[in-house]
Amino acid sequence: MTEDTIVAIATPPGRGGIGVVRLAGHRAIQIALELVRLGQQPPEPQRSTLGAVLDPETGKVLDEVMFTCFRRPHSYTGEDVAAISCHGSSVILGFLVECCLARGARAAEPGEFTLRAFLNGRMDLTQAEAVRDLIEARTLYQARVAATQLEGALSARLKPHKQSLVELIARLEAGIDFADDDVEVIGWPEILKRLDAIRADLKKLVEGYDYGRIVREGLSLSIVGRPNVGKSSLFNRLLKMDRAIVTPTPGTTRDLVTETASIGGIPLRLVDTAGIRNSSDDVEKMGVERSHQAMADSDLRLLVVDSSRDWTQEDAELLRRTQRMGFMLVAANKADLEPRNSAEIIAQSASTEDGEESPPLEIISTSALTGQGVEELRDKILQAARAGENLGSEGDLVTNLRHQQLLKASVAALERCGAGAGLKVHHEMLLLDLYDALLQLDALTGATGVEDILGTIFSKFCIGK
Ligand code: GDP
C-alpha cells in the first residue's frame, strides 16, 4: 500500500448538477471530515450522510454536500476512500481540492485510483482495462461487453488454463527435481493432450479478436460508387434507422471519414470514397490513392450502383477492384425507378480471377428514396460485422490488442512446446516454453505465478523432505 492520500475531482470538468471530489489513502476520511460538517458523527461507512462545507473566512455554509466513506479493504481502491458530492460548480470543486492538498493530500495521477485498486489486489489488469473501456463506451453494447470484462470474465476463462499449465509445470519440475524418488512422471501422450486442450481454447480467443476489435473500435465501412448513385442518401437512411448517433472519438477520425453512427450497438465509421475514378491529374491521383487505401483498410466495403442506369464497363471495373480488397456488399440503389440492370448482370461482372471461386456477391436492392431494402442492408452489414461473434460470448470476447498479442504469444509458446514434446525432447526444454506460455497469461491479468507453482509442487506431491 502506498503511504500518500490522493485526491481528484471525479466528475467531468465544467458545470453540472453534481460534482464529486474523491480521496483515497489512509488519511482520506480524516481529511474529508475536516472539510465537511456532518449532521451525524461518526459517519457510517457505505452510507451517504448530509453535510455542509463551510467557508473558512466567514464560517458560513458554502455548499450542502453528501458525504460517503468506505473503510479499507471494502472500497474501490482497497484503501480508505471518501467522496464529497457537492453541487457541480468548478469553483466549489476546486476549492475542496485545494483544501485537501493543504491538508497533505496529493493530486491523483490519471487512472491512479484504478491503479491502486489493481496494486491492492481489488481487480486484475483486464478488469482495470475494462473500467477504461466502460467509461469510453460509445454504445450500450460496448458498455455491456466492458461490464462483463469488469466482472473478470476473461480472467475466469483463462483461470483453468493457467491452472492446467501450472500443474503440468509442477509435474515436469517434480520429475526433474525428485528424479530419485518415486514420483510418477507424466507420459508423452498426456503432455500432448493437455497442451492441445489449452492451445485450442486460447486460439479461439485470439481469433475472436477480429470481432472484439470491431465491438471496441467500431466497424469501418467504406461506401464506394460513382457520383450520384445515392451513396449519401443511403448512408443517411442507415443513420436514421439507428437513432443513436455516436460522437466521434477525437484523434481517431481520418481525412476520409465523414460520419460515425451505430448499427446494432456497433459503432459504424463511414469512409466516403466518393472521389474514386480514373484520373490523369496528379493531385486527384493522390486523392484516389488515399481513397483506395481507405477502402482496403476498411472492415467492409459497400458498393452502391444505380439500378436505373445501364451497367457500364466502368461499373464492372469498380466492382472487380472493390472485390479484390475483401468482403463487400452491393446496393443496387434507386429500385423505385424503372430498372435498367439486374442482380444477374451485376453478378456476371464479379471477379473470377485465377479461376478461383469467389464468394457469392451479396446484392441488395435498395431505394434511399422510399427506404425499401434499407433494413435488409443494415442487417447484412450487421451480419458481416458479427461474423466472428459466435467465436465468443460478450464475456470472453477479446477486445483489446494487448490481450490478443499476449494470447498469441502464449499460443506460440505452447506450439513450440508441443513440437518439442512430439520429438520427446528433455523435459527441461519443454519447461522453458511452458513457463513462457504461463508468463504471457500472467502478464495479461497482471499476476505473477512463482508461488503458485511452488505451492502446487509441494501440496500436490506431498514430498515430505
Ligand atoms: P451520391 O453522389 O452517390 O452521394 O448520391 P446522392 O445521395 O447525393 O444522390 C444523388 C441523387 O439521387 C439525389 O438527387 C438523390 O435524391 C437521388 N437519389 C438517391 N437515392 C435515390 C433512390 O433510391 N431513388 C431515387 N429515385 N433517387 C435517389
Side-chain angles (χ1 to χ4, degrees):
M1 282 232 189
T2 38
E3 280 302 297
D4 45 357
T5 294
I6 52 171
V7 62
I9 300 171
T11 36
R15 292 172 297 168
I18 290 171
V20 177
V21 170
R22 187 157 62 154
L23 291 122
H26 69 287
R27 291 186 56 228
I29 297 174
Q30 178 205 332
I31 292 175
L33 284 176
E34 285 176 25
L35 308 180
V36 179
R37 191 185 64 191
L38 290 183
Q40 178 204 336
Q41 281 279 19
E44 205 182 324
Q46 298 184 32
R47 291 247 190 287
S48 290
T49 316
L50 193 63
V53 170
L54 303 183
D55 185 337
E57 283 182 19
T58 63
K60 287 190 176 156
V61 172
L62 205 54
D63 195 6
E64 280 205 328
V65 301
M66 293 303 290
F67 175 87
T68 320
C69 66
F70 303 85
R71 296 271 177 201
R72 69 171 164 267
H74 307 291
S75 75
Y76 182 70
T77 69
E79 310 155 294
D80 281 353
V81 168
I84 305 171
S85 305
C86 54
H87 287 106
S89 140
S90 49
V91 177
I92 300 284
L93 288 164
F95 170 72
L96 283 174
V97 170
E98 286 299 327
C99 292
C100 293
L101 296 177
R103 283 163 178 77
R106 173 173 67 72
E109 303 284 341
E112 195 171 359
F113 285 90
T114 307
L115 173 66
R116 285 182 171 211
F118 166 66
L119 291 177
N120 292 328
R122 298 291 291 170
M123 55 175 73
D124 68 24
L125 271 188
T126 64
Q127 289 171 301
E129 286 164 315
V131 171
R132 196 192 49 206
D133 287 351
L134 184 63
I135 293 170
E136 288 182 359
R138 285 167 291 151
T139 70
L140 193 58
Y141 183 69
Q142 286 181 314
R144 271 189 207 124
V145 172
T148 33
Q149 207 140 108
L150 188 54
E151 285 170 356
L154 184 59
S155 313
R157 167 91 176 253
L158 293 179
K159 202 170 161 191
H161 298 318
K162 284 169 77 167
Q163 226 153 13
S164 180
L165 273 175
V166 168
E167 246 173 65
L168 194 54
I169 288 173
R171 297 279 291 264
L172 294 179
E173 287 279 17
I176 293 165
D177 290 353
F178 307 103
D180 300 338
D181 300 289
D182 47 1
V183 171
E184 196 204 338
V185 176
I186 185 166
W188 293 110
E190 179 66 17
I191 294 178
L192 284 168
K193 199 178 103 193
R194 289 189 184 201
L195 283 176
D196 273 350
I198 306 171
R199 193 181 47 195
D201 197 46
L202 294 188
K203 241 184 154 157
K204 230 161 91 182
L205 283 174
V206 169
E207 283 158 10
Y209 175 73
D210 280 345
Y211 176 64
R213 183 184 61 79
I214 286 174
V215 168
R216 189 160 181 264
E217 295 172 9
L219 176 93
S220 57
L221 170 81
S222 47
I223 299 196
V224 202
R226 292 165 57 194
N228 280 320
V229 291
K231 295 182 296 294
S232 331
S233 313
L234 210 48
F235 184 66
N236 285 333
R237 274 279 178 185
L238 285 169
L239 278 190
K240 276 197 204 112
M241 194 160 282
D242 269 278
R243 289 200 177 270
I245 293 186
V246 174
T247 46
T249 327
T252 60
T253 44
R254 290 178 297 179
D255 287 1
L256 295 151
V257 176
T258 54
E259 293 266 15
T260 312
S262 151
I263 285 201
I266 294 174
L268 178 76
R269 297 194 306 276
L270 166 79
V271 185
D272 193 354
T273 53
I276 295 199
R277 59 193 165 108
N278 292 323
S279 167
S280 50
D281 181 316
D282 272 356
V283 177
E284 207 172 316
K285 261 186 184 162
M286 270 170 63
V288 170
E289 185 54 40
R290 264 218 322 258
S291 300
H292 274 149
Q293 196 57 45
M295 274 168 71
D297 287 347
S298 298
D299 298 307
L300 180 63
R301 284 145 288 270
L302 172 67
L303 174 68
V304 184
V305 297
D306 185 342
S307 61
S308 70
R309 289 178 169 249
D310 289 329
W311 184 250
T312 65
Q313 202 48 42
E314 201 180 336
D315 289 315
E317 174 64 27
L318 190 54
L319 172 66
R320 277 196 289 269
R321 209 183 313 143
T322 312
Q323 221 180 5
R324 280 197 291 270
M325 294 177 178
F327 191 73
M328 68 174 293
L329 299 171
V330 180
N333 195 39
K334 307 202 184 180
D336 53 291
L337 301 177
E338 190 69 34
R340 297 290 298 262
N341 62 54
S342 67
E344 287 73 38
I345 295 176
I346 297 173
Q348 272 168 17
S349 299
S351 91
T352 45
E353 272 173 35
D354 313 328
E356 248 181 60
E357 191 84 6
S358 46
L361 256 194
E362 291 268 18
I363 302 167
I364 304 116
S365 170
T366 62
S367 166
L369 195 69
T370 65
Q372 175 204 330
V374 180
E375 179 91 40
E376 194 195 340
L377 176 62
R378 171 188 181 273
D379 289 346
K380 292 279 187 218
I381 293 172
L382 252 183
Q383 253 174 39
R386 293 200 157 155
E389 187 177 32
N390 52 2
L391 289 164
S393 61
E394 280 165 25
D396 42 30
L397 197 58
V398 175
T399 57
N400 182 311
L401 181 62
R402 188 184 77 86
H403 299 172
Q404 194 228 18
Q405 295 295 317
L406 289 167
L407 287 168
K408 257 190 181 166
S410 187
V411 168
L414 290 170
E415 270 164 6
R416 285 197 304 274
C417 187
L423 296 170
K424 302 192 175 169
V425 301
H426 198 273
H427 282 182
E428 275 177 28
M429 301 290 286
L430 298 186
L431 278 165
L432 286 179
D433 290 325
L434 286 176
Y435 274 114
D436 189 20
L438 183 61
L439 196 77
Q440 308 299 334
L441 299 186
D442 276 341
L444 210 155
T445 53
T448 43
V450 187
E451 292 83 2
D452 296 352
I453 290 162
L454 294 180
T456 313
I457 290 180
F458 292 104
S459 69
K460 285 233 164 157
F461 293 95
C462 302
I463 297 156
K465 289 189 174 175

